[in-house]
Structures are given as C-alpha cells and as structure tokens.
Amino acid sequence: KIGRDLAISELNETKGRVEILEKSLKDNQKIQIQVFEKLSSLVEDEADLIEKKMSKIKDIMKNTGYSFERFYSKAKEEIFSQGGPFIPVVSNAINDVPELKNEDFEKTSKSLYGKIDNWNTLKVIQSKLPLGKPIKTINVSAPFGNRFDPFNGEISLHEGIDLVEKEGEKVKITSPGKITYSGKMGFYGIMVEVDHGNQIKTRYAHLKTALVKKGDKVNEGDVIGEVGNTGRSTGAHLHYEVRLNGYPVNPYQFIKVKKDVFKE
C-alpha cells in the first residue's frame, strides 16, 4: 500500500508539473503571437511601400514585354534554393515536452514568415536591378524620350538621360554584371555596356576613358570609367541608358526608386 501511495503521489506531482509546463507554454505562445502580429504588420508595411514605389518599374517592364512576375519568381527561387536527405524526427517520450496545437499561433507565424520571404525577395530584386546612381550627383541636362536635338534643333528620340558632371569624374556601375562592350562606339564616343542578366543592360557613354574590358565581372559601385566629352557631344557629361529586353527605358525611374525606397 505504501508503494502504491508513493506511486500515486509521484504521478500527481508529475501531472502538476505538466500542467504548469502547459500553462507556461500557452502563456509564451500568447506573447509570441502578439510579437509576431506586430512584426508582421511592420514587415507588411515595408513590403507594401517598396511594391508601391516599384510600381513604375513594373509598368515600365510590362510596356517592354518584360515580365516582372517571372523576375520575382526567379528571385524567390534563388532565396529558397535548398535540399538534402529527409530524416524524420524520432519521438522520445522521456524528453518530449507537451505538444500544444494553437491554430492562431501557427497562422500568425506562417503569415509573418510569408511576409519576410516577400521582403527578402524584393531585396534580391533590388540587388539585380540597376537602381543605383552612375555618378555622385544627378543633374539631368537632357531627359529620356523626345527632345530637341542639341546639334540641329530637330525633334529626336533620346534613349537615355544626360547627366552633367565635370570631366574626369568617376562613373560607377549601378548593379552587378558583366562587361559586354568597352571602347569607341560611333556617336556614343567611348562607351561601356554591362549585362546584368535577366535581359537587363546598362550603357555609359561619352566617357573620357574606360577602365574595364570586355568580359570583366563588376559589382555595384565599381568604377568603370571617367566622365568625358567623346563622340557626338556638346560638353562633358554622362549619357546613361537602361535597357530591358532590348528596349530603352527611362533610367531616372530606376534611380528614383533607389533614392526613395532602398536608401543607401
């Protein structure tokens, strides 16, 4: 009888500890839910802001037949590249803590992780788009699109933007890529072209000198040349182009997105 009473006492004591542990876990889950909800709201607000600011970029892409959705999917695949063998978890009845199913907790945590994944994907996209500044100061002397030609005064199509800067100033890459052209190119004068992958290219023209050669790999911020006055040019400046799918698009929109959203 004494042994039985002792066993019952130990069982009751164990049950009491389990109940305390369950209550503690439930309380912790409530706190985690509150934290996750707050974080989820903050992350969602940040992602919404980025997507809103990038709406012009998405529109530009669509107008050239470029699929932003496909670009987004590729960026997401890059984040979630993973693998390895499946090793099931073996339950250990002695060491396992009580498993508490909480649908609110699971729903909130999944929502948070989903929004974080979206944020991370947008950051990958940011790293692959030419959103930086090719020169330190952005002073546009000739915008993208139709303009009066500086030599004959007739209306013509300007496939980039002209940025005024003194001769010899550094010209920098706006996104990682590979040099596909470096040298003289007709009216462009000395020009450097960079392939950033995903059918995205940038051009830097009228350079005084090019400091890279075809085949070089470059990262954002690398110096590829100096501002000059070569080719069909009226004075020292940088002619900067962004091309999607072979089509020239307005580079200023890309620079503005970097300035407004992805602050350096």
Side-chain angles (χ1 to χ4, degrees):
K1 183 179 179 181
I2 294 175
R4 185 185 65 181
D5 291 343
L6 181 61
I8 292 173
S9 176
E10 290 179 347
L11 179 60
N12 289 335
E13 184 180 349
T14 301
K15 285 182 178 179
R17 289 178 180 175
V18 170
E19 288 174 358
I20 292 172
L21 179 57
E22 287 180 340
K23 185 179 183 303
S24 177
L25 288 174
K26 287 179 180 178
D27 290 341
N28 285 335
Q29 283 186 340
K30 287 179 181 178
I31 294 172
Q32 285 182 304
I33 288 174
Q34 292 174 352
V35 173
F36 279 12
E37 285 176 344
K38 180 64 176 178
L39 288 174
S40 181
S41 177
L42 292 173
V43 172
E44 184 174 32
D45 288 344
E46 289 294 321
D48 286 346
L49 174 63
I50 293 171
E51 290 180 335
K52 182 178 179 181
K53 293 293 185 180
M54 289 189 71
S55 61
K56 289 185 180 293
I57 301 297
K58 293 169 74 173
D59 290 341
I60 289 172
M61 288 181 165
K62 288 178 181 178
N63 289 337
T64 63
Y66 193 99
S67 172
F68 182 85
E69 288 71 24
R70 184 180 177 189
F71 190 28
Y72 183 93
S73 295
K74 284 186 176 181
K76 196 167 185 178
E77 286 175 5
E78 185 172 318
I79 291 176
F80 295 107
S81 298
Q82 50 186 295
F86 171 72
I87 303 175
V89 176
V90 179
S91 176
N92 186 329
I94 296 176
N95 296 322
D96 282 354
V97 297
E99 184 179 357
L100 298 180
K101 290 290 184 180
N102 188 316
E103 293 182 2
D104 289 338
F105 176 78
E106 292 181 1
K107 183 179 179 181
T108 304
S109 60
K110 285 181 180 179
S111 175
L112 172 61
Y113 294 139
K115 288 167 184 175
I116 290 176
D117 290 343
N118 184 41
W119 164 253
N120 286 332
T121 303
L122 289 170
K123 292 294 286 182
V124 170
I125 288 174
Q126 174 257 331
S127 71
K128 293 182 178 297
L129 286 173
L131 301 178
K133 298 189 295 185
I135 55 178
K136 187 175 181 180
T137 304
I138 302 300
N139 185 9
V140 180
S141 60
F144 174 85
N146 292 339
R147 67 164 180 175
F148 291 104
D149 185 85
F151 285 91
N152 59 31
E154 296 181 7
I155 294 178
S156 62
L157 175 62
H158 192 218
E159 295 187 333
I161 56 175
D162 288 343
L163 303 171
V164 177
E165 186 54 273
K166 63 182 180 181
E167 189 168 322
E169 280 295 306
K170 296 177 180 178
V171 177
K172 300 180 179 181
I173 291 296
T174 52
S175 181
K178 185 177 181 180
I179 305 298
T180 51
Y181 191 90
S182 180
K184 291 184 178 180
M185 173 66 86
F187 294 144
Y188 280 101
I190 297 176
M191 184 196 80
V192 170
E193 181 182 73
V194 184
D195 187 342
H196 304 283
N198 299 295
Q199 297 179 310
I200 302 171
K201 291 184 178 182
T202 53
R203 289 180 176 179
Y204 311 77
H206 304 306
L207 301 175
K208 178 181 180 180
T209 182
L211 302 177
V212 290
K213 63 183 183 298
K214 184 177 179 180
D216 286 350
K217 291 183 179 180
V218 289
N219 294 310
E220 179 181 354
D222 286 353
V223 177
I224 50 89
E226 299 175 337
V227 172
N229 185 27
T230 58
R232 193 171 186 266
S233 170
T234 62
H237 74 284
L238 173 70
H239 173 85
Y240 176 56
E241 291 184 13
V242 174
R243 291 177 174 263
L244 299 179
N245 224 12
Y247 292 91
V249 296
N250 189 349
Y252 186 74
Q253 297 294 352
F254 288 77
I255 295 172
K256 192 172 187 301
V257 166
K258 179 67 174 249
K259 178 183 176 183
D260 291 348
V261 182
F262 301 101
K263 300 185 187 299
E264 297 173 285

